[in-house]
Amino acid sequence: MRQKIDEAAAVIRQRLGFDPEVAIVLGSGLGGLADRIEQPVYLPYGEIPGFKASTAPGHAGRFVAGMLAGKRVICMQGRLHFYEGHTMQEIAFPVRVLKALGVRALVLTNAAGGVNLDFSVGDLMLIEDHINFMGANPLTGPNDESVGPRFCDMSTAYDPALRALLAQVAAEQGVTLRTGVYLGYMGPSYETPAEIRAFRTLGVDAVGMSTVPEAIAAAHCGLPTVAMSLITNMAAGVENKKLDGDEVIETANRRAKVLESLVTGFVARV
Ligand code: HPA
């Protein structure tokens, strides 16, 4: 595994011509942050050995790297999802490559359904912790000790210092930032109303189909992570209407600027 990671990192490093400090994964409809990057270098995943292309709507499927808020950043404009048929190991791979590139903080963003009844569409939520309901884990199979330990501690998968910094930046920008637990659901069907009621009793605040595998891979390889959800819709059964992927993208587009400013402010300070 180590050799594949190092090969991919070498290709990216050579194409970028610099070592990125901060990595940002942009969720569904949130790819616009990449447009704020100065002196951008574009690198489609298909040109990197070992990488799989993303097929999900609203996901461009490339790295965009350059300067953001005075820092060298690398953005994943589009991510891989388990529901696309990618294996958990394939989803973990880019995170491991980012660690090998020397990135010292990972910012994960996603679109999510609101399970907490106090939430509203358009809210931002800092992920305090997650529940892995995907039925799979990227760390199954042989373990490479040079990447991380066989049994990986998850107590601080969402780094407390980075979370505090993001909350502080939100307060300074006057942006309301909710805090809560994210449940990772395999998809691609949305949850049933009964599942959402069950998740609520389990202490879940938001539900989505990403982030969990990446956060596990990051914890495993020792890459400090912070994650944020944009509540693009209320989860199934909360409102008397059907869920629809277009609403997810519409809300993401409408609230993208707020999320982008928050992430930019965070990058400036991290
Ligand atoms: N459920 C799962 N994933 C999602 C949702 C949802 O309601 N909204 C955006 N991603």
Side-chain angles (χ1 to χ4, degrees), residues 148-226:
R150 169 81 288 185
F151 299 105
C152 166
D153 177 57
M154 291 295 291
S155 316
T156 54
Y158 299 92
D159 186 84
L162 296 185
R163 272 158 48 202
L165 177 60
L166 187 60
Q168 193 184 333
V169 171
E172 285 169 12
Q173 292 189 0
V175 172
T176 304
L177 185 61
R178 312 278 202 160
T179 299
V181 172
Y182 175 94
L183 180 136
Y185 189 80
M186 186 194 303
S189 59
Y190 287 115
E191 305 73 30
T192 64
E195 285 169 341
I196 294 301
R197 285 193 300 275
F199 295 160
R200 194 175 297 120
T201 69
L202 293 176
V204 172
D205 298 291
V207 62
M209 302 176 193
S210 67
T211 301
V212 163
E214 294 141 347
I216 294 172
H220 181 241
C221 68
L223 177 53
T225 298
V226 71

Side-chain angles (χ1 to χ4, degrees), residues 228-250:
M228 187 172 26
S229 294
L230 170 61
I231 306 300
T232 51
N233 57 282
M234 292 311 287
V238 174
E239 290 172 338
N240 191 20
K241 64 175 196 184
K242 292 193 173 194
L243 265 60
D244 145 28
D246 290 343
E247 184 190 2
V248 170
I249 302 290
E250 269 164 39

